[in-house]
Every structure is written in structure tokens, then in C-alpha cells.
Amino acid sequence: MDLNYIDEGKILKIFTYPSPILKKIATNVEVFDDELKELCRNMLTTMYDAPGIGLAAPQVGISKRIFVMDVEFDRKEVTAADGQTKYEIVDRKPLIFINPVIKNKEGQFKYEEGCLSLPGIYDEVTRAKKITLEYQDLEGNKKEIEAEDLFAVCIQHENDHLDGVVFIERLSMLKKNFFHKKLVKRKKMYSDSP
Ligand code: NI
């Protein structure tokens, strides 16, 4: 995909926990049209802007089985004309997965995860180390890839969003309840303020 094309996308609103949309099971994409391309482009723009390494459609309020990802980009410090330090996203490798299905899981890998829908929450989750993923591209072509380590973790995390699961639900009941209370309290605080 053309990188300039991504920059032209819109920044979408990211829904945060405990929004009901994050609990819904997303439905398959049936139509591979321009509207789908536009959505994927906007999702990538939103992901890089955040910045995050993955974003699933339910996180932007669309209950469809789509996620976008880039586990390789870097942030470069640049000095703007006004002398201020800014960050520029470089070495992008945007990926789009439509109707993904995890076929094979092997081994275990522990990684400290975060999520754009659970700001400020980070914890270690154990997932499969190696996976095989079947998916469709923007044209509807069937594809398959193998992923390992961080790439595999990210796919499993994003795929969970399509099934209405956020990563704190993969933690112990104690931790899950702790983070749940913290996020609900914070959400209340924000919505009470003018
Ligand atoms: Ni997430």
C-alpha cells in the first residue's frame, strides 16, 4: 500500500473500556469495496497517530473482523521549523488482516501488553509463541502467514478484540477486577467533568 495514501486518512475516535462495542463479537467482512479500503486506511492513520502497533475495527466502533498492524515502525526525533521537537513515524510496514482465523498455536511467549482502548494499563500476558494465520487482503484474496514472538502476540491480541475480549481478561481474576475498577472509576471521572 502507498504510504502517502495512509497519511491522507482520517483519525477515528478510539473507544475505551468498558464501551459495549469492545464486548461485541464482530462479523465477517463480505464486501471488498472502496468503503473497506477507506476504513482500513483510516484505521492505519489512527494507529500511527496514537501511536500503537495494532488496532482492531471494534476499537473504532466498527464491529467487523478487521485489524491493522505494524510491529516494525520507528519514531524519529525531528526539529520542526519553530524549534520544537516532534516525532515522525519512519520505516513503516503496514499490514491489514481481514476475516483472520488463527489456525495453529505453538509454544508460550510472555509479553507486557498494552492497548489503545485501555490507556495506562500494562501487564504481562502469556500467549502462543508461534501461530499460523489465515486471512483475506483488501481484494478478498485468501492468504496465510506464520508469525512468531511479538508479531504473534500482537495478532492474538488484535484477534481477541474481534471476539469481544480485551487483554485484561487474559489475566488472573484478581488483576482483572483491579484493572476493571480502575478503568471504570477513571471513565466516570472523565465523563463527570465538563
Ligand atoms: Ni488492544
Side-chain angles (χ1 to χ4, degrees):
M1 188 189 267
D2 185 352
L3 292 184
N4 294 321
Y5 180 76
I6 292 167
D7 282 334
E8 288 166 19
K10 270 186 260 165
I11 295 169
L12 306 169
K13 179 194 164 180
I14 298 176
F15 287 75
T16 53
Y17 185 90
S19 279
I21 186 82
L22 297 172
K23 298 286 286 175
K24 268 180 88 172
I25 296 183
T27 55
N28 269 329
V29 172
E30 313 269 355
V31 184
F32 294 80
D33 58 1
D34 285 348
E35 203 182 313
L36 176 70
K37 288 193 177 95
E38 172 101 39
L39 170 64
C40 291
R41 176 177 67 173
N42 291 341
M43 283 173 64
L44 281 165
T45 306
T46 307
M47 181 190 81
Y48 286 121
D49 176 72
I53 58 173
L55 185 70
Q59 293 182 275
V60 292
I62 311 277
S63 198
K64 288 276 172 199
R65 303 194 81 83
I66 307 165
F67 55 79
V68 297
M69 192 176 292
D70 187 343
V71 288
E72 294 188 45
F73 76 82
D74 231 329
R75 290 211 301 168
K76 201 176 95 185
E77 220 180 81
V78 288
T79 308
D82 59 5
Q84 290 223 15
T85 302
K86 287 187 175 152
Y87 291 93
E88 205 172 78
I89 304 279
V90 292
D91 299 329
R92 293 192 280 199
K93 290 200 180 59
L95 298 169
I96 296 166
F97 299 101
I98 298 163
N99 300 334
V101 180
I102 296 172
K103 280 293 170 190
N104 218 15
K105 288 187 177 184
E106 266 176 60
Q108 284 197 335
F109 190 75
K110 212 187 233 186
Y111 190 80
E112 191 179 65
E113 297 188 19
C115 179
L116 294 174
S117 294
L118 291 86
I121 306 286
Y122 300 91
D123 210 336
E124 277 191 336
V125 184
T126 305
R127 297 188 188 265
K129 182 176 166 63
K130 214 176 153 184
I131 59 159
T132 308
L133 186 79
E134 278 183 12
Y135 66 100
Q136 282 172 280
D137 66 12
L138 276 175
E139 267 72 46
N141 302 309
K142 290 206 166 157
K143 305 248 168 125
E144 191 182 289
I145 50 152
E146 287 195 354
E148 254 185 281
D149 302 334
L150 173 64
F151 187 24
V153 160
C154 196
I155 289 174
Q156 290 168 86
H157 174 119
E158 298 311 328
N159 197 63
D160 267 357
H161 277 301
L162 310 185
D163 293 324
V165 175
V166 294
F167 84 89
I168 57 167
E169 286 166 77
R170 297 280 181 208
L171 304 173
S172 67
M173 196 53 88
L174 191 74
K175 277 190 175 174
K176 188 192 149 172
N177 288 341
F178 172 74
F179 286 137
H180 172 78
K181 273 187 201 143
K182 193 170 162 176
L183 286 160
V184 170
K185 199 169 147 195
R186 193 195 295 162
K187 187 133 193 166
K188 246 195 189 144
M189 256 166 58
Y190 283 140
S191 51
D192 286 349
S193 56

